[in-house]
Every structure is written in structure tokens, then in C-alpha cells.
Amino acid sequence: MLEDFSRRTFAKLAGLALGIAAAPAKADETPAQPAAGRLASGSFPSGFIWGTATSAYQIEGAVNEDGRGRSIWDTFSHQQGHIADGTNADRANDHYHRYKEDVGLIRELGVKAYRFSIAWPRVFPEGAGAPNPKGLDFYSHLVDELLANGIEPYATLYHWDLPQALQDRVGGWQSTETSKAFADYAAYVAERLTDRVKTIFTINEVGRFVNFGYGLGIDAPGLKLPQKQLNQVRHNVALAHGLSVQAVRAHGHAGTKVGPAENIAACLPAIDTPENVRAAEIATRELNAGFLNVILEGKYTDHFLAYAGANAPTFTEDELKIIGSRNDFIGLNIYAPQFYVVAAEHAPGFSVLPFPSSFPHMSSEWLRIGPETAYWVPRLAAKIWDVETIYISENGTSSSDEIRPDGKIYDLDRIMYLRNYLTQLQRAVAEGAPVRGYFLWSLMDNFEWIFGLEKRFGIYHVDFETLVRRPKLSASFYRNVIARNAIDV
Ligand code: BG6
């Protein structure tokens, strides 16, 4: 389970050096100076994009319909012992048949945008070769329904459901054949949807599915590769990202925007001093060196390569050029603070502090509570990578979500979490961080990967027997934030 793996294990798999924890910087150092505020207290800029997010495998069901091929998650979830409650997503939310109802739920929130993912094996059942037009039809209808309801579609091309055929034939992401097949799939989708879908996210959370799927073996496809091969897998995924950015640009309608949706390793200054903020900047680059930094800078950092040594991925200069293709925006999935850092004299200039065992978390044990993550991450990312547009492509939390005798769900902990994270996000935006939109994870409860149906992240509750959806209190909270375009401070 996720909580069994410490940050140190995670960082090691990601090919990253943490440095040794040093004493925190002295408390009497001058605090970092924020830029002057520009927005009224609690307000977001006009035109700020409020949205919600889901992913294909987690909600669609209908795994054998209309020519869909198998994905690695179909295989993995059906193997015993992989999913905490023994469930799979064969039916999930049955969104495939209920998408019109679900678009209605989105509309009721007053959100302007919806981020969904496209299942690659619906569109190319074998991963490559002959497309399945019926597979794409589903998304085309969904997009039409969204637009008819005044909701802007944001599509993600890959949210972990790799066609099983590619895993079987070439070892999935172990081969650049998969990177190339992904680019062909991206081109095919871009040609057919970007007349209506103006924003494409390429790949969701490389930091999760590579390390957990190919390193720890706890996500699909369940492999435990040695470090060198793991670094190569990540490199192949970075190549797929770059190739797909180019494919969307070459085959999409003019003006289509494209970029990643990454669970950035969130590095925060433990205490807000200029030295520690600088350390957090260095840490953000170095602890994201294997994916986000290489796609944004077009090169691996010296520190990453030195730490990897003989385990460094094999690559060419041409590949780096592709990997470093310009992104129109970066999508950042923000949930928990991952690394609290302080300045250090040793290279590369930061140390990571250990978390006390009493550090609070939400219903999911991995989801530590650190609202200031929503402040520091966009602020640091904008500065380091000089990006003009950031989306918070996911943020949200699980909750125990008890149904009370009156039939209602008072998810006050989710509201607490959202209120605090949004307050910090507003602070970042008010200081000039270029965050243009926010996608709450998730629209509704769904199949939460290795946790099955046990963990609930939705602001709509789903009864997985009857498939009835009903709003939780957090849906009213979010509707109110959106209506006012502001958060109470
Ligand atoms: C994000 C993923 O990392 O976290 C989502 O993009 C996922 O797909 C969410 O549902 C919650 O993660 P988990 O592991 O608790 O299901």
C-alpha cells in the first residue's frame, strides 16, 4: 500500500538524492518578501477557470464494449491481492452509459471546465495499428455534451491505462516503441477532437505510475525493475511526452494548447527564510529531475546524472531536444507536501527534514495535510521554469463520508482541506503566480486504483450498488466558491 513506502524509498526509485538532514535555519532570519497583493482579499482573478477532474479507467466501466481493448489495469486489478477490497473497474461508475447524467452534475456545480481522460485502448485496442473509431466516438459525444452545457473540455491522453497489447508485445514503457505509438495515438486524437477540445494534457503523473508500476510493482503492470531500467522507463515516458506535444501541434487545430499534468515532488521551505526558499527552489529542480525538470529544461541536471551514475538512462541529444519541446502550460497535481527542506552548505544546497510520525493526514494515510503546498508549488515552479500558465490539474482529498440518518454526507474534513488549500492558492495568485485554473479531484467517488472503492475522493457520493450519485456538503462548498470566485479568508 502507498503508505508503506517512505519518501526516501520513493526518492530513491525516482533516482534522486535527498541530501542529509541538517539543522533548520535559524528562526531569526529575515522572512522571504512576497510581492504586493493585487486582488481583493480572498478573490480570484476574473476568468479564473474552476473545474473538476476524473479519469477514464476510474469511472467509465464498459470495459468490453464497442471494441475497447484490454488495458494493463484490467489485467492487474483482476489479479488477486492487488486491490485492497478485491474490486476492479469493470463497471466502476458506469460513466460510459451515464455520461449525460454526469455532465448534469458538473453543470450543477457551476464549473466552467471538466478534465477527463481518454482511454488509449478504446481508441487503439492493440495500442498501435488499426484505430477503433467507435472508441473515439464516445469522447466526441462527451465533448459535444459538455459544450452544449457550457463546460469547456480539457482532455488527458494518458491516465495509466496502457493497452495490454503494448505491454505484451514490447514491454510497455520499457520500449521506445510505446513512446512512438503514443505519439501516433496523440496525433489521431488531436486531428479529431481539437476542433472542440482546446487544451490537451499529455500524461498524468509520471512520478506515480513509473515508480509504482515499474519500480515497486504495486501499480499496473506490477513490475519491479532494477534502477537502471526504471530510469530508462521514465526516460521513454518523457520522450513520449515530447513526441506527443509535437504530434498535437502538427495534427491539432491551430491554437490547441498542450502540456503535462504532473504530481510534482512538492518541496517546501520548512521555515520561510530567503535561504530556505532558495533551497526549496533547488530541491524542486533536483527532486523533479527525472521528468518535470527534463521536459522543461531539455536536459538532465548534472546532479541527477552524477547520482544515477551507471544507472543513468541512455539517451541521445536528439531525444533531449524532443523531450524539451515547448509546453504551453504546466499542469500540477497538488495533494500533499512531499519534502520540507532547509538550506545546506553541501551540494546541491538543500537538506530534507524527516516527518514526525504525528504529522497529520487525511483519510488516506499518504495524504499529509500541508495547505501551503498550494502556495509554494506554483510560486516556485513559475520562478524556476519561467512558465506563463499553470493549472492545478488536480487537488482534493478522501474522506470517510458517513451517510447520516437524514441521508446527507457532511464531509467537513474535505471542506476544511479545500478551504485551506484554496486560501493558500489564492495567496499565490494574489502575489502573481500565473495559475489560470483549478481542477478539483474528483467530481465523484470512483475506483481509486489499489484502494479499490474503499477510498472516496468525490464531491458527489456514488453508491456502487445502485450507482446513484448524490452531492456531499463539499459540492455546496465548491459551488459557493465558484459563484463568488473567492474563498473566505
Ligand atoms: C492522483 C491520481 O494521484 O491521486 C488520481 O491522478 C487518483 O487518479 C488520486 O485517484 C488519488 O490517489 P489514490 O492513490 O489515493 O487513489
Side-chain angles (χ1 to χ4, degrees):
M1 303 281 69
L2 299 195
E3 52 266 33
D4 293 338
F5 297 94
S6 67
R7 285 169 308 115
R8 197 165 286 276
T9 317
F10 184 84
K12 208 166 148 244
L13 281 165
L16 312 165
L18 289 184
I20 298 152
K26 284 188 230 94
D28 61 356
E29 288 170 16
T30 328
Q33 291 303 309
R38 295 181 293 125
L39 286 170
S41 170
S43 296
F44 284 81
S46 71
F48 190 81
I49 295 156
W50 295 104
T52 62
T54 62
S55 88
Y57 186 67
Q58 292 180 271
I59 63 167
E60 285 178 0
V63 290
N64 294 314
E65 281 182 54
D66 294 333
R68 176 187 181 276
R70 278 186 82 72
S71 82
I72 55 173
W73 269 96
D74 295 312
T75 307
F76 188 77
S77 64
H78 277 263
Q79 289 162 350
Q80 237 199 329
H82 286 157
I83 310 299
D85 60 2
T87 57
N88 56 57
D90 286 3
R91 187 167 82 137
N93 299 34
D94 196 32
H95 169 77
Y96 195 74
H97 299 115
R98 296 168 196 243
Y99 72 92
K100 289 193 178 172
E101 178 190 348
D102 292 337
V103 171
L105 303 182
I106 303 170
R107 192 193 51 227
E108 278 167 33
L109 294 170
V111 306
K112 298 172 191 152
Y114 173 56
R115 175 176 172 239
F116 61 95
S117 83
I118 297 171
W120 184 353
R122 278 198 199 283
V123 183
F124 285 91
E126 299 294 313
N132 170 36
K134 273 193 170 180
L136 197 78
D137 282 352
F138 169 69
Y139 301 103
S140 192
H141 295 148
L142 171 64
V143 164
D144 288 342
E145 186 69 15
L146 288 164
L147 290 172
N149 282 278
I151 301 159
E152 183 84 29
Y154 287 66
T156 306
L157 294 172
Y158 185 75
H159 202 123
W160 310 352
D161 41 2
L162 182 76
Q164 181 67 45
L166 280 173
Q167 189 63 44
D168 295 343
R169 210 167 55 240
V170 298
W173 292 112
Q174 286 183 263
S175 165
T176 53
E177 286 305 307
T178 296
S179 319
K180 289 178 201 147
F182 182 68
D184 293 343
Y185 153 65
Y188 182 86
V189 171
E191 261 168 24
R192 286 157 185 82
L193 288 189
T194 56
D195 55 335
R196 289 155 291 154
V197 179
K198 301 297 175 202
T199 311
I200 303 278
F201 293 96
T202 56
I203 300 178
N204 185 72
E205 296 200 357
V206 175
R208 156 87 185 251
F209 80 83
V210 168
N211 296 321
F212 287 24
Y214 289 82
L216 295 171
I218 57 171
D219 274 358
L223 299 179
K224 294 181 184 173
L225 301 177
Q227 191 66 48
K228 165 102 181 152
Q229 288 179 41
L230 189 62
N231 286 344
Q232 201 63 48
V233 164
R234 193 178 307 100
H235 177 78
N236 295 344
V237 175
L239 183 63
H241 166 81
L243 287 169
S244 68
V245 165
Q246 297 188 353
V248 169
R249 261 188 207 124
H251 296 267
H253 281 237
T256 307
K257 307 285 188 208
V258 58
E262 187 57 9
N263 57 332
I264 181 171
C267 303
L268 280 56
I271 300 170
D272 182 353
T273 67
E275 291 76 10
N276 289 345
V277 173
R278 176 71 197 127
E281 284 171 19
I282 299 168
T284 299
R285 277 187 79 240
E286 294 298 349
L287 297 177
N288 289 287
F291 183 72
L292 208 45
N293 197 70
V294 72
I295 68 163
L296 293 170
E297 293 189 359
K299 59 179 189 320
Y300 288 110
T301 66
D302 293 343
H303 189 69
F304 173 83
L305 292 176
Y307 180 73
N311 290 331
T314 307
F315 58 87
T316 66
E317 282 307 311
D318 282 349
E319 284 177 348
L320 287 184
K321 272 203 198 105
I322 296 167
I323 288 171
S325 299
R326 181 181 57 79
N327 295 279
D328 294 302
F329 60 83
I330 55 174
L332 301 173
N333 293 0
I334 291 178
Y335 287 91
Q338 222 171 334
F339 303 102
Y340 280 102
V341 305
V342 290
E345 293 201 345
H346 57 73
F350 67 91
S351 289
V352 171
L353 301 183
F355 276 93
S357 59
S358 56
F359 201 94
H361 61 76
M362 300 300 292
S363 152
S364 296
E365 285 180 39
W366 64 264
L367 217 175
R368 292 193 178 106
I369 306 166
E372 73 277 22
T373 314
Y375 171 75
W376 284 110
V377 167
R379 178 177 152 167
L380 296 175
K383 166 139 194 248
I384 303 163
W385 295 306
D386 197 21
V387 281
E388 283 173 14
T389 302
I390 293 175
Y391 293 111
I392 304 303
S393 32
E394 285 180 25
N395 173 244
T397 181
S398 53
S399 159
S400 53
D401 285 346
E402 288 86 2
I403 303 174
R404 299 300 170 183
D406 61 1
K408 303 230 164 87
I409 295 158
Y410 301 103
D411 52 340
L412 293 165
D413 54 346
R414 179 174 289 111
I415 291 174
M416 175 277 293
Y417 175 98
L418 293 172
R419 181 185 286 118
N420 281 289
Y421 274 64
L422 285 172
T423 299
Q424 291 288 336
L425 182 64
Q426 195 277 341
R427 181 181 156 218
V429 173
E431 289 180 13
V435 181
R436 312 288 179 218
Y438 171 92
F439 294 83
L440 196 155
W441 184 275
S442 181
L443 171 65
M444 54 186 166
D445 298 336
N446 57 52
F447 178 79
E448 282 299 340
W449 309 109
I450 59 174
F451 300 107
L453 304 173
E454 255 178 15
K455 290 289 178 203
R456 294 177 174 272
F457 276 76
I459 54 174
Y460 282 93
H461 178 271
V462 177
D463 178 326
F464 288 104
E465 293 295 320
T466 62
L467 294 180
V468 167
R469 285 92 155 119
R470 71 176 109 174
K472 304 175 190 174
L473 191 62
S474 55
S476 305
F477 167 82
Y478 194 40
R479 191 183 303 116
N480 186 45
V481 169
I482 296 166
R484 295 174 48 227
N485 200 33
I487 185 88
D488 286 324
V489 287

